[in-house]
Amino acid sequence: MINDENPPRIRTERRDAAKNRQLILDTAHRLFEKFGVEQVSMNQIATEAQIGPGTLYRRYRNKGELCQDLIKDSVDLFFEDIEEYLKENDQEPPIQRLKEVLSFFIRFREKKAQLLTGVEEAKSTNPLKSRTQSPLYVELHQILVELFDEMEANEQTYSHSAFKADMVLMALSSDSYFFQKDVRGYSPEEILELLCSTFIFK
């Protein structure tokens, strides 16, 4: 005879977990919007959501993971837009496509500045390694490498595509990008042009 007691309990646990996750995300989003990611603590999120810190930390080890979950849908849409652009413009020179991809990312960084900073500044024993292993970095790096490879193939020269892609993405990390914008006074458009003249155009 089938035992009917366990399935409802399991479904209830899953439903509670999903409810808690959404509660955490809604609370974090509200606090981040009001105070900024850097000013909000994990304990503050737990208190505001009226859940135990243990419940919060079981799902998210740090604010970086929480920001990554909050921004996931936006990142998916970002890559869908890039994929659509690359398909529709596959006859354009790789230099032009690469510049446009960087323009996409700069606009995305401007729009999602706080959450991206939260993702990049996740507490870790090796922050740089954590940053370069994030899904956003890995996928964007691959796109840049492919475009750099295509450019180098046309020139018939030895490719350092992975290095170039790393340097471009490091230049567009939160700390570097906003230093150039806020301290040096460059506009997003100027940053794009300077990146292209440094790493792309010969």
Side-chain angles (χ1 to χ4, degrees), residues 88-103:
E88 291 178 356
N89 297 273
D90 60 345
Q91 299 304 311
E92 290 289 326
I95 286 177
Q96 183 56 43
R97 281 177 278 137
L98 182 51
K99 184 177 180 180
E100 192 59 35
V101 168
L102 294 179
S103 180

Side-chain angles (χ1 to χ4, degrees), residues 15-81:
R15 198 159 45 239
D16 288 346
K19 184 180 176 183
N20 276 339
R21 174 181 175 275
Q22 196 57 51
L23 175 61
I24 291 167
L25 291 176
D26 290 344
T27 302
H29 184 264
R30 187 173 68 252
L31 291 173
F32 291 163
E33 286 283 312
K34 187 173 182 180
F35 301 109
V37 173
E38 292 182 7
Q39 305 304 319
V40 176
S41 69
M42 292 288 277
N43 285 338
Q44 188 178 353
I45 293 169
T47 300
E48 190 75 15
Q50 297 182 331
I51 60 172
T55 301
L56 176 59
Y57 280 103
R58 272 194 299 275
R59 183 166 288 277
Y60 302 105
R61 290 175 297 178
N62 52 54
K63 273 195 295 183
E65 289 187 358
L66 213 168
C67 288
Q68 197 159 299
D69 207 358
L70 274 171
I71 207 172
K72 181 181 181 300
D73 290 343
S74 297
V75 169
D76 290 343
L77 289 173
F78 165 71
F79 281 116
E80 285 175 15
D81 288 343

Side-chain angles (χ1 to χ4, degrees), residues 71-136:
I71 207 172
K72 181 181 181 300
D73 290 343
S74 297
V75 169
D76 290 343
L77 289 173
F78 165 71
F79 281 116
E80 285 175 15
D81 288 343
I82 287 181
E83 184 180 354
E84 184 177 351
Y85 164 78
L86 291 174
K87 281 182 178 178
E88 291 178 356
N89 297 273
D90 60 345
Q91 299 304 311
E92 290 289 326
I95 286 177
Q96 183 56 43
R97 281 177 278 137
L98 182 51
K99 184 177 180 180
E100 192 59 35
V101 168
L102 294 179
S103 180
F104 269 101
F105 185 51
I106 286 174
R107 291 196 298 271
F108 184 67
R109 173 162 291 298
E110 287 284 330
K111 189 176 180 182
K112 299 292 181 180
Q114 284 207 49
L115 289 177
L116 281 174
T117 300
V119 170
E120 291 176 358
E121 294 181 355
K123 289 181 180 177
S124 168
T125 54
N126 191 336
L128 182 59
K129 184 177 180 182
S130 296
R131 181 184 302 181
T132 57
Q133 289 179 344
S134 73
L136 175 62

